[in-house]
Amino acid sequence: MRQRNKGGGSLRPSRIVTIRPAPKSVDRFPVRVAEREATISTWALVWAIALASRCCVALILPNAEQDGYSYAEVITRFSGLMASGNLRPSHLFGFWLPLFQFISAILNLFIHNPIVAGKIVNLICGTITCVLVFAITQNLTKSLAYAWLAFALIILNPLHILYSAACMTDVPHSCLVLGSLWFILRKRWIGGALLAALAECVRIEAWALIFVLPCLQLIRERRISLIALAILLVPPVAWLAIGRYATGDAFTYFADRARYQASYLEFYPTRHGFTFSDVYRDAIYFLSGANGAVLLAAIIANGIIISRRLIVSRDLWWSVIAIGAYGCALFSALLFAYVTKGQ
């Protein structure tokens, strides 16, 4: 029924307006701030623990192997050439790829102790490696508990402790590979390619990443970045050019390694084949270097992911594929060299 106003006109029925409660932006804001503060404090604690642990071992432990002193000789030679202004690209050529020695030589210009310079580089790389293990695990599992567990495994890993205090390439190489993987997990292909290229300048097994990164980008984005591919190709091409400039033959580096391997096989005749005792001993050495606890944790993690295969997100599968590709590529490079008697 319509109602009449004083002027005699009718009044239309009023519309019903639903008033919704305002979004609780004010209530959510303190939670986000608290989460951000917790994250910052967590990262600060991770960095502090990693740096303190690697500083302590660098001060206490000696070089892990005799090779550390050979690296120190190269560092001394490089820093001497730098100081005199006579360093040339041909001087970089040698039995080992030169990036670690080159960076340590720059530091040695101020320290004047090649062993200590190499130890400092390893200390820094060992610290970053531990943090990257925490970050990558958190990215994969979305769990701080698992990230702390992985961090504890790497912090307490006896071999990682030992080699973080050495003047050698093992830990710097691992640091660069993990850094590259971290960028790839975030789909930053240029950054991943840059760090992979630096790893290629430290150890030759990183050359396997030349094939891995383009394949991962093709899987993820159905395209290949030509810039990233060019970055990955620069180190091997540059190394062949340096070999050609230094010796007249671009493949001298591989010939030197082949002669070394031939001498090794001549000294150990059973290595020409695959005896059970040799293969068993090598497997034990490999498991010792890879660390049994880490391998067990990886197997358990894979089991958890496979058991949850029906509910995992696309991003989680991408993390699994990327991490698996990096691990398989490096392992396959070592396995190929072992089977072909090239390592």
Side-chain angles (χ1 to χ4, degrees):
M1 180 181 292
R2 294 181 178 179
Q3 296 178 352
R4 293 185 177 275
N5 58 12
K6 294 180 180 179
S10 63
L11 294 175
R12 294 182 180 180
S14 60
R15 295 180 180 178
I16 299 175
V17 179
T18 303
I19 300 177
R20 297 180 180 178
K24 299 180 179 180
S25 58
V26 178
D27 295 334
R28 292 179 183 178
F29 182 75
V31 176
R32 291 180 180 176
V33 172
E35 290 176 355
R36 186 177 61 186
E37 290 176 352
T39 301
I40 293 174
S41 62
T42 299
W43 283 112
L45 182 60
V46 168
W47 276 103
I49 294 174
L51 181 60
S53 65
R54 286 341 184 222
C55 284
C56 291
V57 300
L59 292 172
I60 297 173
L61 297 178
N63 264 309
E65 298 178 17
Q66 188 66 32
D67 282 352
Y69 298 97
S70 299
Y71 283 114
E73 293 177 359
V74 178
I75 293 169
T76 301
R77 180 165 59 87
F78 281 2
S79 58
L81 291 170
M82 289 178 185
S84 63
N86 294 321
L87 184 65
R88 300 290 183 270
S90 59
H91 294 142
L92 300 176
F93 184 80
F95 188 78
W96 293 291
L97 298 176
L99 182 60
F100 166 73
Q101 301 92 293
F102 183 81
I103 298 300
S104 299
I106 295 175
L107 192 59
N108 190 48
L109 292 174
F110 308 95
I111 295 177
H112 306 294
N113 188 321
I115 292 289
V116 174
K119 278 176 167 284
I120 292 174
V121 173
N122 273 264
L123 180 159
I124 295 171
C125 291
T127 300
I128 297 174
T129 298
C130 294
V131 176
L132 285 171
V133 167
F134 181 93
I136 291 171
T137 306
Q138 186 185 33
N139 178 278
L140 176 64
T141 64
K142 311 301 180 186
S143 168
L144 279 177
Y146 286 133
W148 278 113
L149 177 60
F151 182 71
L153 287 174
I154 191 68
I155 280 286
L156 301 176
N157 186 324
L159 279 178
H160 194 270
I161 291 174
L162 181 62
Y163 282 91
S164 294
C167 178
M168 298 178 67
T169 59
D170 303 76
V171 172
H173 173 259
S174 300
C175 177
L176 291 170
V177 170
L178 287 172
S180 173
L181 175 59
W182 170 246
F183 276 100
I184 295 304
L185 290 174
R186 300 169 69 88
K187 297 177 284 295
R188 296 181 179 178
W189 306 102
I190 302 300
L194 285 171
L195 288 178
L198 291 176
E200 293 170 33
C201 298
V202 176
R203 294 180 71 95
I204 194 171
E205 54 263 38
W207 289 15
L209 299 179
I210 296 173
F211 306 98
V212 173
L213 268 71
C215 290
L216 287 174
Q217 188 176 17
L218 188 62
I219 292 171
R220 183 67 181 185
E221 298 183 350
R222 301 293 188 270
R223 70 180 185 90
I224 294 177
S225 170
L226 295 180
I227 296 177
L229 181 59
I231 292 171
L232 292 170
L233 290 173
V234 166
V237 172
W239 189 239
L240 293 176
I242 289 174
R244 175 73 174 80
Y245 181 65
T247 66
D249 183 0
F251 299 97
T252 300
Y253 173 74
F254 301 99
D256 290 344
R257 293 178 70 91
R259 282 193 293 270
Y260 174 84
Q261 186 66 10
S263 301
Y264 176 82
L265 294 176
E266 183 179 355
F267 192 77
Y268 295 100
T270 59
R271 290 292 183 175
H272 285 281
F274 294 97
T275 65
F276 175 80
S277 59
D278 286 340
V279 173
Y280 177 77
R281 187 183 304 110
D282 293 336
I284 294 299
Y285 286 154
F286 175 78
L287 292 175
S288 174
N291 191 276
V294 173
L295 288 177
L296 179 61
I299 293 171
I300 293 173
N302 284 329
I304 293 173
I305 291 171
I306 292 172
S307 66
R308 298 173 57 194
R309 65 188 181 279
L310 297 178
I311 59 174
V312 296
S313 64
R314 183 170 179 263
D315 287 338
L316 176 58
W317 275 117
W318 164 244
S319 298
V320 173
I321 291 172
I323 294 171
Y326 266 65
C328 289
L330 295 175
F331 176 75
S332 297
L334 294 176
L335 183 62
F336 178 78
Y338 180 78
V339 172
T340 59
K341 301 298 180 181
Q343 181 70 31

